[in-house]
Amino acid sequence: MKLQYDKPAFRWTEALPLGNGRIGAMHFGGVERERIGLNEDTLWSGTPSKDGNNKRALEVLPEVRKLVREGRYEEADLKSKEMMGDYSQSYLPFGDLVLTFGHGDVCRSYRRSLDLNDAVSRVEYEIGGVSYKRELFVSHPDRALVLRLEAGAPGALEVHARLDSPLRHATSSENGRLVLRGIAPEHVSPSYYDSPDPIVYGDEATSEAIRFAGVLHVSAEGGTVRADGDGLHVLGARSATFVFAAATTFNGAADAAAEAGQHLDGALAKAYAALRADHIADYQALFDRVRLDLGERISPEGMSTDERVAAYGSSDPDLVGLLFQYGRYLTIAGSRPGTQATNLQGIWNDLTRPPWSSNYTININTQMNYWPVETANLSECHEPMISLIGRVARSGSKTAEIHYGCRGWVAHHNVDLWGHSAPAGGRGAGDASWAIWPMGGVWLAQHLWEHYAFGGDAAYLRDTAYPTMKEAALFCLDFLEEDESGRLSTCPSTSPEHKFRYDGKLAGVGRASTMDMSLIWDLFTNCIESAEALGTDERFAEELRAARAKLYPLQVGRGGRLQEWFEDFEDEDPYHRHVSHLFGVYPGRQLTERDTPELFAAARRSLELRGNEGTGWSLGWKVGLWARFREGNQSYELLTNLMRLSGEGTNYSRGGLYPNLFDAHPPFQIDGNFAATSGIVEMLLQSHQNALELLPALPDAWPTGSVEGLRGRGGFEVGIRWREGRLEEADVRSLHGRVCEIAEAGELSVTADGEEVVVQRSQQGGIRFATETGRTYRIRPL
């Protein structure tokens, strides 16, 4: 299972991504000039002492609310600009490892590939009858990037390596190693903000900005090795192994170069074969948990991946499977315990002013990055997101007090490495439709609950998740306003990035947007269930139950659609990429056919009206949404629209894939890759209604297939096999010994180790049976 090409990469979106959660690499595969783009996940602009809050916000808040009550929404938009804080900071490129080969650039039999089975990128070609091979991987256990070069003849390898960076830096040769030291800017303006000083550095002697360093070493078989100020040079060798380590001062290291050097020393203590074997074993322990077979490959075996997408797209079931596993691969490469959460571009960015600052955009995108981690059996990879939430909660408590006079913590649509939590709008330069959205923390808190719902770790729930969720709920309790009829609503309130039309005008700020109410319902519900699971905090849980019952109700508007705002306003864009008002369907659980049939039908109508186009990540979201409506063929159509080659530039209405299968907004945003993976899971297995739903949205295009290793809430690992569109059998492994329910089941038999298991009918028409930890239960139709 691999991505493969017959020519080197020219653009970033053609290069192949590798990573260990901390170091990101983009392998271009040039013949004469090889470029490996480098990132380190803590290399951001900014400083720890900068306060992005706006101390006037609390003074302005009553004025904004008054304008909303009076229906003066456009004026409320403008007034709310006075509540905006600073823009968040930017994720930055480390630079490049550049290698120049002495054999020129004319070659034969060129191939480059990324094998998802071992997370190794390879380049192969021939020059004058001599074969050349390169292998590149980024090791998580050894905290280093490793590049192996081999020539098919003795003395044929000549290569010169150097390090470069677009940031302020200097390189030197030290003890036979090449060392790059640099400093990040104190501020980088978003690429959409036209500033005369977009990149600002501080005084190098006193600046609190992040320092960074990279250290490169090479060893060779045969020939000579030389290091100087220009780089590392290998002449007349048969093979060479480069090892690179990087570090920053973000986590408290006094000397980034010394830290990187220690990582390098650890890696160099092993031979290449051991580094490679340990990398593969570590990676496969995660990747091999899930296997997916949607049908036989219909494209030629040797076809380049970009040509394959263009010619076959979703019609090749094996290519759909590749895209699914690519999302899991990118999760493993980009998010490991102890590293930072994946941002808009994962950990792969080459621009000093990247699109939308390559930050954490938490009105959908960051959360979307982590949708597949639980369902696709990569729960450990959730840890960086959970850690980020804790950091934002700490800074967000100050923002809640300064901006709203509320308890708890709050976050808005942009977050950065430093935990920025204020409305990121350049102190009035931004637009209210995206900056004035105090529900970011509420949505983030869903991930704290989901990690428990799948994993069942009571200590984690008690010590980590519930305290942070509770503080987010306290903010909501204080922020909600009671109207004359006793209903609780939010104000100011927006539906992220989408405006409404009223009286010939456009505005974003109102009250009680459907998304706000759905997010708060979700948080309150998760807190209530947490308190019940822990057997604690009953008084607070009862307060939440009372408040949840009084939340401004979701409503059905004209045309039978679910209203996006508190009134039945007209959309600014009826095909808008955000479908925020459908959160309660997916990834939420408020709206279901069983419990809220009228609202569920209205949400379905809203999705129909939005259409089947959108940015790459929007298409991915709709895959999951249609799966929740059990419309597998519609989900498949959205996958079809996603699996098409995209051009460069920016497009808000037509997304797709780049040649390296990165998701195209466009521009590149990685969230759509993860949405595709999670959406495919939702087509095959759902568990948000406290029961396992097997094949809830199987499309006609996948009549026969199998999947192993998916996870359901409650602590179950599930494998499913189907034929001619019908369940053939399923295996459910119990991880915690809880009662298992299979939803809406027909006549099924359940066995464990060949013995019949006693089942009972549930009130919802499914079956329930007791399980034992570690046992596997086979389910077959009768």
Side-chain angles (χ1 to χ4, degrees):
M1 176 168 286
K2 61 185 178 181
L3 288 69
Q4 58 186 15
Y5 306 87
D6 58 9
K7 58 181 178 293
F10 176 70
R11 296 184 175 89
W12 188 259
T13 50
E14 296 171 351
L16 295 171
L18 302 106
N20 63 359
R22 195 170 56 82
I23 296 174
M26 293 292 285
H27 194 187
F28 281 71
V31 175
E32 182 177 27
R33 183 184 182 276
E34 169 71 278
R35 175 189 176 193
I36 300 171
L38 300 172
N39 286 101
E40 206 279 353
D41 73 336
T42 60
L43 184 49
W44 288 65
S45 62
T47 62
S49 61
K50 185 174 178 58
D51 183 358
N53 291 308
N54 183 340
K55 292 179 171 57
R56 285 200 63 237
L58 187 57
E59 174 188 334
V60 176
L61 177 60
E63 300 177 52
V64 173
R65 286 175 164 171
K66 181 175 183 292
L67 290 169
V68 170
R69 284 195 300 271
E70 294 172 355
R72 297 158 64 185
Y73 307 115
E74 188 177 54
E75 294 174 67
D77 269 25
L78 294 173
K79 192 65 181 176
S80 67
K81 286 176 173 287
E82 299 177 33
M83 298 178 64
M84 295 179 188
D86 294 331
Y87 285 124
S88 63
Q89 290 302 318
S90 299
Y91 180 58
L92 299 172
F94 183 101
D96 293 303
L97 167 57
V98 179
L99 301 103
T100 303
F101 291 83
H103 52 41
D105 65 352
V106 179
C107 72
R108 300 176 57 191
S109 305
Y110 180 93
R111 297 297 291 174
R112 70 183 173 99
S113 62
L114 171 61
D115 194 333
L116 302 191
N117 291 312
D118 58 15
V120 176
S121 176
R122 295 175 174 85
V123 175
E124 301 179 20
Y125 54 91
E126 292 183 6
I127 295 177
V130 178
S131 62
Y132 293 87
K133 297 180 181 180
R134 305 174 197 167
E135 284 194 341
L136 177 65
F137 58 87
V138 187
S139 169
H140 177 255
D142 290 302
R143 301 182 293 184
L145 176 151
V146 182
L147 173 65
R148 175 75 170 179
L149 310 176
E150 296 180 355
L157 185 62
E158 175 187 339
V159 61
H160 308 271
R162 62 183 175 87
L163 293 170
D164 197 6
S165 174
L167 307 180
R168 290 184 180 177
H169 73 283
T171 57
S172 60
S173 172
E174 302 176 17
N175 300 317
R177 300 174 175 183
L178 184 63
V179 181
L180 182 149
R181 293 179 175 86
I183 186 171
E186 291 186 347
H187 174 76
V188 173
S189 295
S191 59
Y192 51 81
Y193 181 63
D194 189 17
S195 167
D197 299 302
I199 299 178
V200 179
Y201 285 90
D203 180 271
E204 190 166 344
T206 60
S207 176
E208 294 181 304
I210 291 172
R211 270 72 170 175
F212 64 97
V215 184
L216 180 68
H217 175 273
V218 65
S219 59
E221 176 190 340
T224 62
V225 173
R226 177 171 54 88
D228 58 29
D230 294 326
L232 302 181
H233 311 276
V234 178
L235 299 173
R238 179 71 177 261
S239 67
T241 303
F242 288 87
V243 182
F244 171 81
T248 79
T249 56
F250 174 73
N251 285 318
D255 184 337
E259 180 87 0
Q262 291 176 7
H263 296 172
L264 184 65
D265 290 341
L268 293 178
K270 295 181 179 181
Y272 173 73
L275 288 170
R276 187 179 185 276
D278 290 349
H279 156 71
I280 292 174
D282 170 78
Y283 169 77
Q284 290 180 342
L286 295 169
F287 185 78
D288 287 353
R289 292 173 180 174
V290 175
R291 300 184 184 277
L292 177 66
D293 177 7
L294 297 176
E296 293 185 5
R297 176 175 180 151
I298 63 172
S299 55
E301 283 290 336
M303 178 177 270
S304 291
T305 300
D306 53 342
E307 296 174 359
R308 191 178 175 195
V309 172
Y312 293 91
S314 66
S315 68
D316 184 349
D318 186 69
L319 183 59
V320 177
L322 178 66
L323 183 65
F324 168 83
Q325 292 287 22
Y326 191 50
R328 297 183 68 247
Y329 165 83
L330 292 171
T331 296
I332 299 168
S335 185
R336 291 294 199 100
T339 69
Q340 303 305 309
T342 49
N343 58 57
L344 279 176
Q345 295 182 197
I347 58 170
W348 299 279
N349 166 48
D350 65 332
L351 301 174
T352 53
R353 296 185 73 195
W356 301 289
S357 302
S358 191
N359 62 20
Y360 301 111
T361 302
I362 61 171
N363 64 15
I364 175 63
N365 313 93
T366 304
Q367 291 89 336
M368 184 177 281
N369 286 1
Y370 286 88
W371 284 355
V373 291
E374 301 294 344
T375 59
N377 212 337
L378 295 172
S379 182
E380 300 93 327
C381 297
H382 218 159
E383 189 275 338
M385 173 66 147
I386 293 167
S387 178
L388 175 67
I389 294 169
R391 192 183 319 144
V392 176
R394 289 189 290 274
S395 60
S397 63
K398 187 176 180 181
T399 302
E401 181 182 0
I402 292 173
H403 279 249
Y404 301 103
C406 293
R407 298 172 294 171
W409 66 280
V410 66
H412 297 78
H413 88 295
N414 277 168
V415 168
D416 58 22
L417 180 73
W418 309 103
H420 182 96
S421 54
R427 297 192 179 268
D431 190 283
S433 68
W434 39 265
I436 304 300
W437 185 70
M439 292 290 111
V442 180
W443 195 343
L444 287 176
Q446 184 195 38
H447 285 261
L448 300 174
W449 167 256
E450 288 286 84
H451 190 59
Y452 169 75
F454 283 88
D457 185 342
Y460 155 80
L461 181 65
R462 181 188 65 242
D463 300 334
T464 300
Y466 181 60
T468 306
M469 292 162 58
K470 181 177 179 179
E471 291 295 314
L474 285 171
F475 170 79
C476 293
L477 289 173
D478 287 358
F479 183 67
L480 287 163
E481 291 189 303
E482 188 168 347
D483 64 19
E484 61 281 355
S485 63
R487 297 175 298 188
L488 297 175
S489 63
T490 52
C491 184
S493 174
T494 56
S495 190
E497 303 186 30
H498 194 200
K499 296 184 179 182
F500 55 84
R501 299 183 185 276
Y502 78 103
D503 299 337
K505 303 174 184 178
L506 275 176
V509 174
R511 66 182 180 93
S513 72
T514 293
M515 184 183 219
D516 281 9
M517 297 297 100
S518 297
L519 285 168
I520 294 172
W521 184 96
D522 190 78
L523 174 62
F524 285 2
T525 301
N526 294 341
C527 284
I528 291 165
E529 294 185 13
S530 295
E532 292 171 348
L534 294 171
T536 188
D537 231 353
E538 174 53 33
R539 182 175 298 179
F540 183 65
E542 191 53 44
E543 183 180 3
L544 293 182
R545 290 188 190 96
R548 184 178 62 179
K550 294 169 64 177
L551 290 176
Y552 193 89
L554 309 188
Q555 301 175 76
V556 179
R558 61 179 175 274
R561 64 179 183 172
L562 184 68
Q563 283 184 200
E564 189 164 353
W565 297 276
F566 73 104
E567 289 187 15
D568 198 9
F569 294 122
E570 182 183 350
D571 296 344
E572 174 193 18
D573 176 6
Y575 308 111
H576 198 271
R577 61 195 178 279
H578 283 262
V579 282
S580 304
H581 52 314
L582 305 188
F583 168 88
V585 177
Y586 179 70
R589 54 178 172 140
Q590 180 183 11
L591 303 183
T592 66
E593 188 172 24
R594 183 187 71 196
D595 297 333
T596 57
E598 182 181 5
L599 292 173
F600 190 70
R604 186 185 190 283
R605 180 58 181 154
S606 289
L607 188 57
E608 290 175 344
L609 293 170
R610 272 296 203 265
N612 284 356
E613 285 292 352
T615 59
W617 61 261
S618 178
L619 295 171
W621 190 356
K622 292 171 185 175
V623 172
L625 280 165
W626 278 116
R628 287 283 173 95
F629 289 117
R630 297 183 177 85
E631 294 282 359
N633 288 336
Q634 278 283 14
S635 290
Y636 179 78
E637 184 173 338
L638 269 299
L639 277 174
T640 299
N641 290 349
L642 177 61
M643 295 181 68
R644 60 193 175 195
L645 282 182
S646 175
E648 299 293 326
T650 301
N651 192 315
Y652 284 88
S653 59
R654 193 177 193 273
L657 299 175
Y658 288 112
N660 65 357
L661 298 190
F662 269 169
D663 168 65
H665 178 295
F668 162 48
Q669 280 187 199
I670 205 165
D671 38 24
N673 289 106
F674 302 125
T677 298
S678 59
I680 291 168
V681 174
E682 292 293 321
M683 297 167 74
L684 303 176
L685 176 70
Q686 296 176 21
S687 61
H688 59 289
Q689 297 187 80
N690 299 318
L692 301 178
E693 298 182 57
L694 309 177
L695 306 178
L698 185 68
D700 295 339
W702 307 337
T704 298
S706 64
V707 65
E708 298 175 17
L710 301 183
R711 293 175 77 230
R713 293 166 184 84
F716 300 103
E717 194 170 288
V718 182
I720 308 170
R721 289 162 292 285
W722 65 93
R723 183 176 299 277
E724 297 179 355
R726 296 180 178 276
L727 175 69
E728 191 169 60
E729 62 182 18
D731 289 330
V732 177
R733 186 164 74 94
S734 177
L735 304 178
H736 305 304
R738 297 179 179 177
V739 172
C740 178
E741 180 172 341
I742 308 297
E744 300 178 5
E747 294 297 321
L748 299 174
S749 70
V750 180
T751 59
D753 300 323
E755 297 181 359
E756 288 288 333
V757 173
V758 176
V759 302
Q760 297 178 326
R761 279 287 165 188
S762 68
Q763 293 180 346
Q764 287 75 36
I767 61 169
R768 292 166 55 87
F769 54 93
T771 72
E772 297 177 20
T773 301
R775 293 195 77 182
T776 297
Y777 299 81
R778 175 152 293 179
I779 299 161
R780 288 194 178 102
L782 292 174

